Amino acid sequence: MMNSDFLKLVNARQSDRMYDESRAVEPEKLERILEAARMAPSACNAQPWRFVVVTDKELAVKVGKATAGLGMNKFAQKAPVHILVVEESANITSLLGGKVKDKHFPLIDVGIAASHIVLAAESEGLGSCILGWFDEKEIKALTGIPASKRLLLDIVIGYSAKDKRKKSRKPKEKVISYNRY
């Protein structure tokens, strides 16, 4: 039994793939979600991201169509909001540290920001799904994202039209150990 409100939030969050088309996402809820993303931690405080928020109905359908392909993500065409996460340049400290440690910190940082977005959405009573499969060129063309930039994620948000389901996760013994591998 979990006592923590945060753990309850984490447990309640799921990848939603069906949205109530009759309900728009309130701008104030979206603003709070985006503030959570903006405040996410990043290596050397580089904040190597830009969030392109698609709320226009017609554009959301077009972006959704560019996210659906080969039978994947068909539900994205009906999502009312798309938060497109674009990788921006890291600062020099993060770039140098990444070279030394052979890690591309912006990818890690964007993952952390994405986690903030979906947890914030859940806290606002909204469903979400993080998508990495989409026609990057098409979405860039639709939204004016420069060709030179990497569009890493499309996070769809809306009111879920499905009930919560039980999470399936590996047992903790398989993923957690203390002091030794």
Side-chain angles (χ1 to χ4, degrees):
M1 186 75 177
M2 288 185 278
N3 299 335
S4 161
D5 287 344
F6 182 72
L7 283 178
K8 285 179 186 160
L9 179 72
V10 168
N11 205 41
R13 192 226 57 86
Q14 64 184 19
S15 296
D16 286 304
R17 293 179 175 86
M18 187 180 288
Y19 300 100
D20 181 344
E21 294 176 65
S22 70
R23 293 183 76 186
V25 174
E26 298 86 342
E28 60 276 11
K29 287 188 175 188
L30 198 48
E31 285 301 313
R32 288 190 293 267
I33 292 165
L34 293 164
E35 184 62 8
R38 195 178 71 84
M39 296 306 294
S42 59
C44 306
N45 199 28
Q47 304 164 61
W49 48 59
R50 184 170 178 111
F51 307 105
V52 179
V53 187
V54 177
T55 55
D56 177 83
K57 278 185 177 174
E58 283 180 36
L59 184 57
V61 169
K62 288 177 183 171
V63 169
K65 283 182 179 168
T67 302
L70 298 179
M72 302 281 283
N73 303 332
K74 283 187 180 158
F75 67 93
Q77 297 174 65
K78 295 184 177 179
V81 175
H82 294 258
I83 298 176
L84 306 173
V85 187
V86 180
E87 179 185 352
E88 292 291 328
S89 299
N91 60 25
I92 193 70
T93 321
S94 175
L95 288 171
L96 288 173
K99 290 262 184 260
V100 170
K101 294 296 179 187
D102 193 27
K103 291 180 184 168
H104 189 63
F105 289 118
L107 294 180
I108 297 165
D109 297 339
V110 161
I112 294 166
S115 185
H116 275 56
I117 289 169
V118 297
L119 288 169
E122 181 64 37
S123 78
E124 294 287 349
L126 293 160
S128 64
C129 193
I130 302 171
L131 306 173
W133 175 284
F134 45 78
D135 183 335
E136 187 175 353
K137 264 189 183 159
E138 177 66 15
I139 294 176
K140 284 178 179 179
L142 286 166
T143 58
I145 297 168
S148 61
K149 301 282 183 189
R150 287 294 319 273
L151 171 56
L152 295 175
L153 299 171
D154 175 5
I155 304 175
V156 294
I157 292 180
Y159 282 95
S160 183
K162 282 197 167 179
D163 292 334
K164 295 287 184 195
R165 55 192 182 273
K166 187 163 171 35
K167 281 196 163 131
S168 170
R169 295 293 186 269
K170 294 177 182 177
K172 55 184 169 180
E173 301 76 35
K174 293 217 183 233
V175 296
I176 300 167
S177 59
Y178 289 88
N179 304 315
R180 293 183 63 80
Y181 187 90

